[in-house]
Amino acid sequence: MSSPQRVVAVLAHPDDEALAVGGMLARHAAAGDDVTVVTATWAPGTVRARELACAVAALGVRRPPVLLGWADARVPESAPAAPRLLDVGLHQAGETLAPLLRATAPTRVLTHDALGNVTGHPDHVRTHEVTLAAVVAAGLTSTEVLLATHPHGAAASLRTLLGERRSRHTVPDADVALALDVRPWLSAKVAAVLAHRSEVERGGAPGVVAALDPEQRSAALGTEWYSRARPGR
């Protein structure tokens, strides 16, 4: 039998762990792998942080999520006593994350792609940059780094289901290294998305998912695409 993998997912906001990589995380959790979810923005004790804990549990992840506690670029109250993630120097932010990566010694790291996934949110882009910098700072030369992305070939259907604003940024199909069918774990992924009740209620991306029927949810969320990064090369 192969040894359990150690997986660290570094995402920008509460709900990104479900929307961007929820199927992959549920798959690893079901296999008995050691999974850690790191969220760059929002402070512990906030409503979004509590929802994040519920979402991670819905994915089957046993470890509680780690919040780095910087402020969301567009929501100052997400971490009133902290600077925005976008205002923290890349070196400083990478060095904040690097000790966790060294301690965990992950075999696989997941994060956003360089475009910030389909939405292109600036916090997504910055989290991508910080994660790659931290992987280098931690000396994880043999760790696989997968970037959650979306190919051009999926753009039309995503825009139909999710709307133009939430599906602007896609990559050439040839850039996709892994297309993962996550339908076996879709119920866990959807439960994790819907655990973000405040986002459902305000009409954020989880609210869009809440309004979809089961067939539409499968079409929108049933495949996850990843490209590979080679930090430091």
Side-chain angles (χ1 to χ4, degrees):
M1 294 178 63
S2 59
S3 300
Q5 291 196 59
R6 298 178 303 281
V7 180
V8 175
V10 187
L11 292 311
H13 311 111
D15 79 12
D16 291 332
E17 81 297 328
L19 291 162
V21 299
M24 177 76 84
L25 295 180
R27 177 175 178 262
H28 277 295
D33 295 332
D34 186 354
V35 179
T36 302
V37 173
V38 181
T39 303
T41 66
W42 288 78
T46 58
V47 170
R48 296 291 303 277
R50 291 191 289 272
E51 291 172 345
L52 173 63
C54 293
V56 167
L59 294 171
V61 175
R62 293 181 291 277
R63 291 185 182 275
V66 176
L67 289 101
L68 298 181
W70 291 303
D72 184 310
R74 299 167 181 166
V75 190
E77 63 270 24
S78 59
R84 300 190 315 162
L85 171 62
L86 293 183
D87 297 332
V88 178
L90 180 58
H91 177 76
Q92 177 187 346
E95 288 294 337
T96 299
L97 175 60
L100 183 150
L101 295 182
R102 288 192 198 98
T104 309
T107 53
R108 171 174 282 177
V109 170
L110 309 175
T111 192
H112 305 282
D113 70 4
L115 299 177
N117 296 127
V118 287
T119 66
H121 194 295
D123 284 341
H124 293 184
V125 175
R126 191 59 166 174
T127 300
H128 163 87
E129 295 168 344
V130 169
T131 303
L132 268 57
V135 167
V136 173
L140 301 179
T141 56
S142 61
T143 296
E144 180 184 39
V145 180
L146 294 180
L147 310 176
T149 195
H150 290 77
H152 293 337
S157 61
L158 285 172
R159 286 170 186 148
T160 298
L161 292 165
L162 304 178
E164 174 69 28
R165 182 172 66 86
R166 293 188 173 91
S167 50
R168 292 174 179 170
H169 301 280
T170 56
V171 301
D173 291 26
D175 289 356
V176 173
L178 173 63
L180 182 65
D181 180 358
V182 300
R183 287 175 296 177
W185 305 277
L186 186 59
S187 61
K189 179 171 178 171
V190 170
V193 172
L194 300 184
H196 294 280
R197 292 303 308 168
S198 62
E199 287 296 284
V200 171
E201 292 165 4
R202 82 167 188 90
V208 174
V209 172
L212 300 177
D213 63 36
E215 184 176 346
Q216 291 172 322
R217 289 177 181 175
S218 181
L221 302 176
T223 303
E224 290 176 1
W225 296 273
Y226 297 90
S227 57
R228 283 193 172 87
R230 292 173 175 81
R233 297 183 188 176

